[in-house]
Amino acid sequence: MTDKLKAIEEKQKAWQEKFRQLKERGGKFMTVSSDPVKELYSPVDLENFNYDRDLGFPGEYPYTRGVQTNMYRGRFWTMRQFAGFATAKESNERYKFLLARGQTGLSIAFDMPTIMGYDSDHPRAFGEVGRVGVAIDSLQDMETLFSGIPLDKVSTSMTTNAPASILLAMYVATAEKQGVSSEKLNGTIQNDILKEYIAQKSWIFPPEPSMRIITDILKFAKDHVPKWNTISISGYHIREAGSTALQELAFTLADGFAYVEAGTKAGLNVDDFAPRLSFFFNSHMDFFEEIAKYRAARRIWARRMKEKYGAKSEKSLLLRFHTQTAGCSLTAQQPENNIVRTAYEGLAAVLGGTQSLHTNSMDEVLALPTEKSAQIALRTQQIIAHETGVANTIDPLAGSYFVEALTNRMEQGAEEYFAKIEELGGVLAAIDKNFFQKEIADAAYRYQKEIEAKERIIVGVNEFTQEEELGIDLLKIDPEVERAQVQRLKQLRQSRDNIRVQNTLEELRKAAQGTDNLIPKILDSVRAYATEGEIIQVLREVFGEYKEKAVF
Amino acid sequence: MEERKIRVLVAKPGLDGHDRGAKVIARAFRDAGMEVIYTGLHQTPEQIVEAAIQEDVDVVGMSVLSGAHMTIFPRVKELLDENGADNIILMGGGTIPDDDITELTEKGYAKALFTPGTSTDDIVAWIRGAVQ
């Protein structure tokens, strides 16, 4: 320790004496992840801090300060509001509404049957068609979804995992119909099956064939959809399921490294696919903890990709990410307050250097957003961009004793989790042992107990409560939507060339039983208007279904 | 004679995987001294009712965040009644708008429905009251 630092430490000790004689307000001083926070941070907390090694400059290794040289001085983040409901026609109208109001990218929410690989007329889809997203059964629906939206002009993110290959194929086929070649397409499929087993639980096949589909996508996209983000490695759902910020960070990056290992094991060069991997994080209420999480994420990814996985291309080192504000932080009570929560969360994401952002609507805890609440949510990030001034300078919180100490702590904590996961035999083995699921359930329960014990105050929930009538309108999905979608599907099954459908599905089955890349076969089936459910059924028959060991 | 523990089936119907609430409430019931059976995800109404009868539970608690509550609650209630299990108390929680809660409880499809933010203590107390 230098003399200068020693002198500061002495002074700090004296200050601490004074501080301890004063009464503190009640409650625990901890982050939203129950991590204790000290009353003061100073140079003493950053004893071994090395600017060059730990931060560097924006767009330079280890990218702690951001992945681009000019960050928001070049352009703002992409404002990408997640939307989708009812049928392709209604959702298409909502996308046009959002684009007309200045949104710069699309993000598609699918309904549960589409997410789980069931057609709208499957018995398991009953009551769920178009409820939490848009129902997409075939290429026909996809064509309607993007009608009047030129696919060479927008970038589109699709929240799809187990059936990601099929929805990507539908997107490519829709572009073909618009005369746009697949090389020009910009967008993202979530395609992160590991976090499905860990947290979001929308799986279909067991892990092994699921990982094969993913590596098939990586190979296909490299040659045919080179600008596409092939996996959006997601912490969002891990957090929503109740994890801490550190768990979100560590488990997500561990998943990321597992994909890198799977890709290289499948014979790909790491630099051929790693540049197309992107990330998706949550932004919860604890402002500084979130910012530290994003900064640590960039640094960890860059270091490991370079040092452990031998990436040579600079693009492989860049952790680019989308952020969504925390749905789980919103309250059903006094829902207008959620506008305020979302604004702070959005601000944290921007100060953490996000590449794109979804700000939640105030009513999402109750229903899908109305047009009005969706507009306020978009306006929230426009206000952050244009009015707050936070985007004028890059990574403005760098050098803050607290933020840098927290960033270091995040990195160390993540490294400890990586070691533990390794010890358990890797991500798939840890899933099988329920390691992640248990960690998350423990954190979720602790959080709930803290609220009930009032160790944590949530405005309007356990303090400042009031009797109220809900003062906002909610979006209702007409049950007629389901009937009409089922009807359209029936007509499609009658009007298409069913022999061609059968033949393409048979080709797909053969590929699944062998080792050929599945994606070209899926694309052929999609072009023949085979439905998502039919394609999944073929794969389900070959690959089987995943069953979870349910624990609580 | 030792008092029989309250038996609860925590069920997760529908296609969605939002099991945070179901798991938290299952633990809270267990901590409150109840016998808890958790079905796991993606259960059909038929599977839920079969489990409820087989496990001889007093209460079925369903967690629904998929927006499908208006079809799932009536269906499970109907199946319970058809199978002579109308003594089992059906309740639940999730992202359910007020109007739908009123309709489901008034028509008897659910005894009580709780929305996000409800304290687990309140739900435990409600169950104790309802089972007696």
Side-chain angles (χ1 to χ4, degrees), chain A residues 289-535:
Chain A
E289 186 174 50
E290 294 306 300
I291 294 166
K293 179 184 76 184
Y294 306 126
R295 298 175 83 249
R298 279 192 292 269
R299 190 159 78 201
I300 299 168
W301 183 254
R303 283 182 176 162
R304 285 225 158 195
M305 288 304 284
K306 187 175 179 175
E307 289 164 16
K308 183 162 181 200
Y309 298 106
K312 299 275 181 294
S313 161
E314 194 192 13
K315 289 202 163 105
S316 301
L317 310 181
L318 303 182
L319 181 141
R320 298 169 297 125
F321 69 103
H322 172 69
T323 307
Q324 180 170 341
T325 56
C328 63
S329 72
L330 305 185
T331 66
Q333 297 76 14
Q334 306 173 37
E336 290 96 333
N337 296 345
N338 293 329
I339 298 174
V340 182
R341 293 190 175 96
T342 298
Y344 288 126
E345 292 169 350
L347 188 60
V350 168
L351 288 170
T354 196
Q355 274 59 62
S356 61
L357 178 62
H358 166 103
T359 32
N360 283 328
S361 300
M362 63 170 159
D363 48 0
E364 286 187 37
V365 67
L366 299 160
L368 291 190
T370 60
E371 226 165 62
K372 165 131 192 190
S373 70
Q375 177 167 315
I376 294 172
L378 175 60
R379 294 288 181 249
T380 301
Q381 40 177 316
Q382 289 166 338
I383 290 169
I384 295 172
H386 297 281
E387 297 187 27
T388 64
V390 297
N392 285 336
T393 188
I394 302 168
D395 190 28
L397 293 174
S400 148
Y401 305 118
F402 180 42
V403 170
E404 295 300 353
L406 212 49
T407 304
N408 291 344
R409 200 178 154 105
M410 282 279 171
E411 184 173 10
Q412 283 155 13
E415 293 289 346
E416 282 162 26
Y417 265 123
F418 297 153
K420 202 174 279 177
I421 293 163
E422 189 110 328
E423 218 171 274
L424 291 168
V427 170
L428 285 178
I431 289 170
D432 195 49
K433 289 172 179 149
N434 268 320
F435 170 71
F436 303 109
Q437 300 91 314
K438 181 116 197 335
E439 285 278 312
I440 295 168
D442 287 347
Y445 194 57
R446 183 180 65 219
Y447 182 82
Q448 179 66 25
K449 285 284 146 190
E450 285 166 359
I451 291 171
E452 294 184 5
K454 284 206 180 187
E455 289 170 347
R456 185 180 292 294
I457 300 300
I458 309 290
V459 173
V461 173
N462 63 354
E463 195 74 275
F464 316 112
T465 56
Q466 64 198 45
E467 284 298 315
E468 57 177 335
E469 283 282 306
L470 187 67
I472 57 172
D473 296 325
L474 296 179
L475 182 79
K476 289 243 172 199
I477 306 293
D478 189 341
E480 175 60 21
V481 161
E482 181 161 324
R483 209 199 52 77
Q485 179 70 14
V486 168
Q487 190 54 35
R488 254 193 310 279
L489 183 55
K490 216 167 132 187
Q491 277 164 3
L492 175 79
R493 289 197 212 277
Q494 281 165 359
S495 62
R496 65 186 181 179
D497 178 350
N498 277 304
I499 293 175
R500 186 175 160 211
V501 170
Q502 285 317 313
N503 288 342
T504 55
L505 289 176
E506 214 31 59
E507 287 297 311
L508 173 63
R509 184 188 304 275
K510 278 188 221 147
Q513 287 161 340
T515 55
D516 281 356
N517 194 312
L518 296 172
I519 315 306
K521 311 290 176 193
I522 291 173
L523 191 51
D524 285 343
S525 307
V526 160
R527 286 187 186 120
Y529 291 90
T531 65
E532 189 209 31
E534 290 163 346
I535 296 170

Side-chain angles (χ1 to χ4, degrees), chain A residues 124 201 240 442 445 452, chain B residues 19-20 27 31 42 120:
Chain A
R124 294 221 55 162
K201 317 288 176 83
E240 289 291 300
D442 287 347
Y445 194 57
E452 294 184 5
Chain B
D19 58 2
R20 176 178 182 164
R27 275 200 202 193
D31 286 358
H42 310 148
T120 56

Side-chain angles (χ1 to χ4, degrees), chain A residues 133-239:
Chain A
V134 58
I136 300 293
D137 290 318
S138 73
L139 176 57
Q140 189 183 53
D141 294 326
M142 202 65 130
E143 290 164 6
T144 308
L145 191 66
F146 293 103
S147 156
I149 301 173
L151 295 188
D152 52 349
K153 298 282 191 305
V154 292
S155 75
T156 303
S157 171
M158 294 194 279
T159 297
T160 170
N161 293 281
S165 55
I166 302 170
L167 289 151
L168 173 61
M170 286 184 187
Y171 193 81
V172 167
T174 302
E176 284 169 1
K177 300 235 159 177
Q178 288 189 4
V180 175
S181 77
S182 62
E183 285 82 14
K184 286 190 185 149
L185 296 176
N186 267 301
T188 306
I189 39 175
Q190 197 162 73
N191 195 29
D192 172 11
I193 200 69
L194 292 172
K195 68 96 175 47
E196 295 298 334
Y197 302 121
I198 291 173
Q200 169 89 342
K201 317 288 176 83
S202 298
W203 54 67
I204 300 176
F205 314 116
E208 213 173 292
S210 293
M211 292 301 273
R212 175 204 164 171
I213 297 172
I214 288 172
T215 51
D216 280 358
I217 293 173
L218 296 178
K219 289 178 185 167
F220 177 83
K222 176 174 82 74
D223 298 330
H224 302 286
V225 210
K227 291 199 275 183
W228 199 267
N229 294 312
T230 46
I231 313 179
S232 168
I233 306 155
S234 304
Y236 186 80
H237 320 83
I238 291 173
R239 194 67 180 282

Side-chain angles (χ1 to χ4, degrees), chain A residues 71-79 354-355 384-386 391-392:
Chain A
M71 288 300 290
Y72 308 138
R73 287 292 286 251
R75 63 174 190 85
F76 290 120
W77 58 93
T78 303
M79 299 184 191
T354 196
Q355 274 59 62
I384 295 172
H386 297 281
N392 285 336

Side-chain angles (χ1 to χ4, degrees), chain A residues 35-73:
Chain A
D35 204 19
V37 178
K38 294 195 293 183
E39 68 277 10
L40 190 78
Y41 291 78
S42 77
V44 178
D45 295 284
L46 298 179
E47 194 193 331
N48 298 315
F49 182 74
N50 176 325
Y51 182 87
D52 242 12
R53 182 198 61 201
D54 299 336
L55 302 190
F57 284 89
E60 292 177 16
Y61 191 80
Y63 308 99
T64 313
R65 304 201 65 179
V67 291
Q68 293 128 355
T69 306
N70 58 356
M71 288 300 290
Y72 308 138
R73 287 292 286 251

